[in-house]
Amino acid sequence: MLEMTREMFEELVAEALDRIPPELTRLMDNVAVFVEDEPPADDPELLGVYEGTPLTERGEWYAGVLPDRITIFRGPTLRMCESREDVVAETEITVVHEIAHHFGIDDARLHALGYG
């Protein structure tokens, strides 16, 4: 398994977020991004997860709720990658994938776009 400290991995996630075009980040609303070491035991290869209500499903009822949550998992990413460059690329793909869910884009469309 590739070695990388949590701090270094968090920095890669932050850099991936910085590469999201400002036109899109301005539209993101009530969402927080976290890094965890491992995903739930029932899905050990999960690289990231979006939990919340996509922007496309929010209505007038959407007020006073906790932020949506995007979590990027360090362990499975490091286990599947062979180099730091692979980690950078996979982290960026995962961050974009989860942000796309925040915008209401489903997995089928993400796979078609190459963010599977």
Side-chain angles (χ1 to χ4, degrees):
M1 181 171 105
L2 188 65
E3 294 293 323
M4 181 177 289
T5 66
R6 182 172 176 138
E7 291 78 21
M8 290 173 63
F9 189 79
E10 287 174 348
E11 188 173 313
L12 292 181
V13 170
E15 289 170 4
L17 287 166
D18 288 343
R19 286 190 290 277
I20 303 294
E23 308 82 60
L24 292 179
T25 57
R26 280 193 292 270
L27 298 173
M28 293 174 64
D29 182 47
N30 201 30
V31 61
V33 178
F34 299 91
V35 170
E36 297 290 340
D37 288 328
E38 295 295 334
D42 63 336
D43 198 355
E45 295 180 14
L46 186 66
L47 302 180
V49 66
Y50 168 76
E51 300 167 289
T53 304
L55 294 175
T56 55
E57 296 177 16
R58 295 180 185 179
E60 291 184 21
W61 59 268
Y62 188 85
V65 299
L66 292 174
D68 291 1
R69 181 180 177 102
I70 291 173
T71 307
I72 309 299
F73 299 107
R74 182 175 73 98
T77 304
L78 295 179
R79 286 191 291 276
M80 73 177 289
C81 294
E82 295 182 13
S83 69
R84 185 180 192 286
E85 292 77 24
D86 290 346
V87 175
V88 170
E90 192 58 52
T91 301
E92 186 166 331
I93 288 169
T94 304
V95 167
V96 169
H97 182 107
E98 302 310 331
I99 288 173
H101 287 319
H102 176 68
F103 283 101
I105 301 171
D106 65 17
D107 280 331
R109 180 70 177 136
L110 286 168
H111 286 279
L113 294 171
Y115 290 97

